[in-house]
Amino acid sequence: MEKSKFDLNSIIGFLLIGGILIWMLYLNKPSEEEILAEEAKIEAAAEALAEANKAKESTTLTEATEQMAIAPNDSVAMLQLSSKLGSFAYSGTTAGTTVVENDVLYLEVSNKGGYITEARLKNFSTYDSIPVYLIKDGNASFNLKFTSENRTLNTRDLYFEPSLSQNGQNQVLTMRLKTAADKYIEYRYELIPGQYMTNFGIRSQGLDGILDTSAPLEIDWKLKGYRHAKSISYENRYTRLTYEYEGDKHSKLDPTGEDEETEKDVSWMNFRQHFFSSMILTDDPFKEVKFSSVDLVEDEEIDTVYTKHYGAKMLLAPKGGALAYNMNMYYGPTDYKIFQEYDRNLDEAMPLGWGIFGVINKFVIIPLFGFLTKYLSAGIAIIVMTILIKLLLSFVQYKQYLAQAKMKVLKPEIDAIKAKFEGNKMKIQQETMKLQNIAGASPLKGCLPAILQIPVFYALFTFFPTAIDLRQKSFLWADDLSSYDTILELPFNIPFYGDHVSLFPILASLAIFYYMTMTMGQSMQAQQQPGMPNMKILMYLSPLFMLVFFNNYASGLSLYYFISNLITIGIMLVIKNVILDEEKIKAQIQVKKAKPKKQNKFQKKMANMMEQAEQQQKTGKKK
């Protein structure tokens, strides 16, 4: 076989030919004037179609082009327009927006796409006094993707015809994407006075044979949440996508990183932005929805415009070959009282806590605080509510301190047991438990009352960050109880702490430290078992945690903990110095020790286990 040879002349020839072709293409490229002229033809084609449709509703694309100066067979613009739109080329509405509003909500709806391009809440402003916009400057889109005449079309690319009217006191805006006067896809917006909830509907009319209902129909809703609060990391912590599906099930996407989920039979979804919500609700659940959430916040130091990028792709199920969905859109505050008015389980869109914690918030904390704020300022209402809660829990605290007082009285005898059986940890534990059982004192009895307070503690921990009644309400040096208070701005940022100093967390930390010193300092060593870590560390860790991590939390929450611990300290001092008498407690213990004490089944079982363990320990030593 003859070997192929490298032909340098052939290579040079190909390069020259290629260069000549490129040069010819460059010489024959359209000028800027020709490009603008071609774009003008496209616009002229669209305008001519619109004029033709207004003059005669039955005018076809061919008839419409006859009214233009350019013949159809010479118009590239006409071919591009008709091939893209098909029957929907009938809708010749030009760009523009229509305003629809009531006394609390302002909306602008674009002719192109027919969706809301601006949503402003009239009664709210951001931390820097700018009106609260949930939608503005292209941060949201709403697109219906459908198939018509073997073409996949997106409503975001098409022009709707607006019509504004009144339905009683309600303002109604219909947006129609037409193929003819009586053939269209319609978006209907209806605003009710004083309501953030908007009636919204999607339906098709007379599109048999034009709208392909056998192909997937999908709504694609996207929104990037604007920053509204002073601390973007704190706001972002409570910015989350939540939804209801399969009847009364509720779920949410991860608030950090990227997350997505696909659910069936979705009845509502909330693109929550901490104190504000953008929601879609439907009477007929969406067949399937693919949710997505992307966290856009890196850290507190970066001046970020957006918090989250949300997405929801809703699969529709046409009925009888037509679209018919009755829905609602909600653009407004994340307010429990407002959500409750609609009886749609919308309170599940708020982080009020699960189980017993949510129950306490819904039926105790929220109604109580709502009642108090009718007559008092937000700061005073927090103080009064704290006093009422602490008084209700004072009996529990009495039991807790009584158990601690008993342990303090028993400390000398426990120390004697430790000295007597030094080196025998099992015997020390056995004798200590026996003494505590006889005296009716136990560390567990001091822990149980504290455990009973945890549900209230956690319920309040979830209540304050979600209480919109605290937003932009001032108290003392705090100008916004829903955000951190500041007494000093730092020229640098401390990791986990921030670039400022908040006073309420400092006061709360001092109060917690004093309270723990008073309640744990004397009794802790009595409860300390051999081999256990020194629990005094808790006296330092808890105040330190409060000081560092609450520096960026809502000042209303720190105010609550400060007042709560002050009241607790006062209650404990009254119990110690007025109600309880340690000498009397000591005498009562001696009386109990003199009486035969019956053990319950649990105590007997524990005693037997301790004796068996001691016996095994002795046997092991003999071997």
Side-chain angles (χ1 to χ4, degrees):
M1 180 180 293
E2 186 180 359
K3 294 182 179 178
S4 60
K5 297 180 181 179
F6 177 75
D7 189 349
L8 180 60
N9 293 329
S10 298
I11 297 296
I12 293 173
F14 283 128
L15 291 175
L16 288 173
I17 293 171
I20 292 170
L21 289 173
I22 292 172
W23 178 250
M24 291 176 64
L25 289 172
Y26 174 77
L27 290 177
N28 288 283
K29 72 174 184 177
S31 65
E32 185 177 351
E33 290 77 8
E34 290 174 328
I35 293 172
L36 293 173
E38 197 62 37
E39 291 178 352
K41 290 180 182 180
I42 295 174
E43 292 180 3
E47 291 176 2
L49 279 175
E51 292 298 325
N53 290 331
K54 290 178 181 178
K56 185 178 180 182
E57 293 181 351
S58 62
T59 300
T60 64
L61 280 172
T62 303
E63 293 170 335
T65 56
E66 291 176 354
Q67 299 178 30
M68 298 187 296
I70 302 171
N73 57 347
D74 293 334
S75 177
V76 176
M78 190 64 246
L79 292 174
Q80 291 175 340
L81 185 65
S82 61
S83 63
K84 181 180 180 182
L85 304 183
S87 297
F88 285 93
Y90 179 93
S91 186
T93 307
T94 57
T97 60
T98 303
V99 173
V100 56
E101 61 183 319
N102 57 22
D103 48 331
V104 296
L105 183 62
Y106 173 94
L107 302 176
E108 282 189 19
V109 182
S110 173
N111 293 348
K112 187 176 182 181
Y115 63 90
I116 297 171
T117 54
E118 186 171 307
R120 174 169 56 86
L121 308 185
K122 295 184 176 182
N123 299 329
F124 294 91
S125 59
T126 64
Y127 71 100
D128 48 359
S129 302
I130 296 173
V132 168
Y133 289 91
L134 300 185
I135 299 176
K136 195 178 191 302
D137 297 333
N139 73 313
S141 66
F142 184 91
N143 176 56
L144 173 62
K145 182 180 178 180
F146 63 98
T147 301
S148 174
E149 300 172 338
N150 296 320
R151 297 175 179 85
T152 299
L153 299 178
N154 295 282
T155 55
R156 66 181 174 223
D157 301 324
L158 306 175
Y159 287 90
F160 287 67
E161 182 180 304
S163 176
L164 198 59
S165 61
Q166 290 290 131
N167 180 18
Q169 293 185 329
N170 301 346
Q171 199 171 21
V172 179
L173 172 63
T174 57
M175 306 291 293
R176 289 179 176 177
L177 176 62
K178 296 181 177 181
T179 66
D182 58 347
K183 297 178 181 181
Y184 50 82
I185 292 174
E186 180 185 85
Y187 293 168
R188 184 180 187 274
Y189 303 88
E190 182 177 6
L191 260 66
I192 304 167
Q195 296 287 320
Y196 296 99
M197 188 74 78
T198 301
N199 294 330
F200 176 66
I202 297 179
R203 71 185 184 98
S204 62
Q205 172 69 38
L207 296 183
D208 296 344
I210 299 176
L211 181 65
D212 186 357
T213 55
S214 64
L217 284 90
E218 180 183 84
I219 293 174
D220 188 2
W221 183 34
K222 290 184 173 65
L223 184 142
K224 288 197 291 186
Y226 278 116
R227 172 186 182 174
H228 297 125
K230 185 163 56 175
S231 171
I232 190 170
S233 58
Y234 181 72
E235 177 182 18
N236 197 43
R237 188 178 294 115
Y238 298 97
T239 297
R240 199 168 187 181
L241 194 159
T242 59
Y243 56 89
E244 181 179 77
Y245 68 106
E246 294 180 5
D248 58 354
K249 295 180 181 179
H250 301 91
S251 190
K252 58 201 73 156
L253 296 192
D254 196 318
T256 60
E258 298 183 20
D259 193 16
E260 62 180 34
E261 193 66 65
T262 300
E263 302 288 3
K264 297 185 182 300
D265 299 325
V266 176
S267 49
W268 58 254
M269 64 204 74
N270 183 10
F271 292 174
R272 191 179 75 222
Q273 300 166 247
H274 195 184
F275 285 123
F276 303 101
S277 291
S278 302
M279 307 180 72
I280 287 182
L281 307 89
T282 177
D283 294 344
D284 298 315
F286 297 118
K287 184 178 180 181
E288 183 178 281
V289 180
K290 182 178 180 180
F291 296 104
S292 63
S293 175
V294 180
D295 189 3
L296 303 177
V297 177
E298 295 185 25
D299 56 53
E300 187 74 25
E301 293 183 80
I302 299 175
D303 187 16
T304 308
V305 177
Y306 304 106
T307 53
K308 295 283 195 310
H309 190 184
Y310 294 129
K313 294 183 177 180
M314 299 157 252
L315 188 62
L316 305 183
K319 296 180 180 179
L323 277 174
Y325 271 85
N326 293 321
M327 295 183 277
N328 298 96
M329 286 184 169
Y330 180 90
Y331 294 102
T334 308
D335 190 327
Y336 178 82
K337 297 186 292 294
I338 294 176
F339 284 179
Q340 282 292 93
E341 294 175 2
Y342 299 110
D343 195 25
R344 296 285 298 270
N345 298 322
L346 299 185
D347 56 286
E348 297 293 339
M350 299 181 65
L352 296 176
W354 53 272
I356 184 63
F357 312 119
V359 171
I360 293 173
N361 268 328
K362 293 175 185 178
F363 298 102
V364 180
I365 305 300
I366 292 176
L368 176 60
F369 190 73
F371 173 78
L372 293 174
T373 50
K374 288 181 179 179
Y375 307 98
L376 305 170
S377 67
I380 300 299
I382 290 175
I383 295 173
V384 173
M385 183 175 71
T386 306
I387 293 171
L388 294 175
I389 290 173
K390 298 307 291 185
L391 288 176
L392 288 173
L393 295 174
S394 59
F395 176 75
V396 175
Q397 290 179 326
Y398 170 78
K399 288 290 186 181
Q400 182 181 2
Y401 195 84
L402 178 61
Q404 292 171 350
K406 288 182 178 180
M407 291 300 301
K408 181 182 176 183
V409 170
L410 290 177
K411 188 177 185 301
E413 296 184 56
I414 292 174
D415 290 341
I417 291 173
K418 290 178 181 178
K420 182 178 179 181
F421 299 101
E422 185 176 359
N424 191 342
K425 296 178 182 179
M426 189 66 68
K427 189 65 177 178
I428 291 174
Q429 290 178 354
Q430 186 178 3
E431 292 299 318
T432 300
M433 287 180 64
K434 187 184 294 183
L435 173 64
Q436 291 171 349
N437 181 44
I438 293 171
S442 170
L444 185 62
K445 290 185 177 180
C447 293
L448 284 176
I451 292 173
L452 292 175
Q453 297 179 66
I454 289 177
V456 177
F457 175 89
Y458 184 78
L460 288 164
F461 180 80
T462 57
F463 164 74
F464 282 104
T466 61
I468 196 168
D469 288 339
L470 294 180
R471 188 175 183 275
Q472 297 180 346
K473 300 297 193 302
S474 61
F475 181 68
L476 298 178
W477 58 86
D479 56 5
D480 186 350
L481 288 169
S482 72
S483 186
Y484 57 81
D485 62 291
T486 305
I487 58 168
L488 178 65
E489 295 284 354
L490 301 176
F492 49 82
N493 185 77
I494 302 174
F496 302 108
Y497 187 74
D499 59 358
H500 62 277
V501 176
S502 299
L503 182 55
F504 276 130
I506 295 175
L507 297 175
S509 299
L510 293 173
I512 288 175
F513 180 76
Y514 183 80
Y515 165 70
M516 296 188 76
T517 302
M518 185 176 70
T519 58
M520 298 177 68
Q522 294 179 336
S523 62
M524 198 177 296
Q525 294 304 318
Q527 300 175 25
Q528 194 74 30
Q529 299 296 328
M532 294 291 287
N534 190 346
M535 298 300 288
K536 268 192 173 182
I537 296 175
L538 289 174
M539 289 197 305
Y540 304 102
L541 285 182
S542 295
L544 183 63
F545 178 86
M546 168 66 74
L547 181 65
V548 173
F549 290 98
F550 277 61
N551 193 59
N552 290 301
Y553 268 66
S555 54
L557 183 61
S558 300
L559 170 62
Y560 163 76
Y561 286 137
F562 172 55
I563 299 299
S564 176
N565 281 286
L566 282 184
I567 296 171
T568 300
I569 291 169
I571 291 174
M572 296 302 256
L573 289 173
V574 171
I575 291 173
K576 177 183 178 181
N577 298 317
V578 179
I579 299 176
L580 291 182
D581 186 339
E582 289 189 4
E583 292 299 322
K584 187 176 180 180
I585 292 172
K586 188 174 182 178
Q588 291 173 345
I589 288 175
Q590 296 303 322
V591 172
K592 286 185 178 181
K593 288 168 64 177
K595 294 181 179 179
K597 180 71 174 180
K598 291 184 179 181
Q599 291 182 325
N600 57 39
K601 291 182 180 180
F602 175 76
Q603 290 170 333
K604 287 180 180 179
K605 188 174 181 179
M606 287 295 295
N608 291 334
M609 288 173 63
M610 296 287 286
E611 289 175 1
Q612 290 175 9
E614 183 182 7
Q615 189 63 36
Q616 289 175 0
Q617 190 178 36
K618 289 179 180 179
T619 304
K621 286 181 179 181
K622 288 179 181 180
K623 292 181 179 180

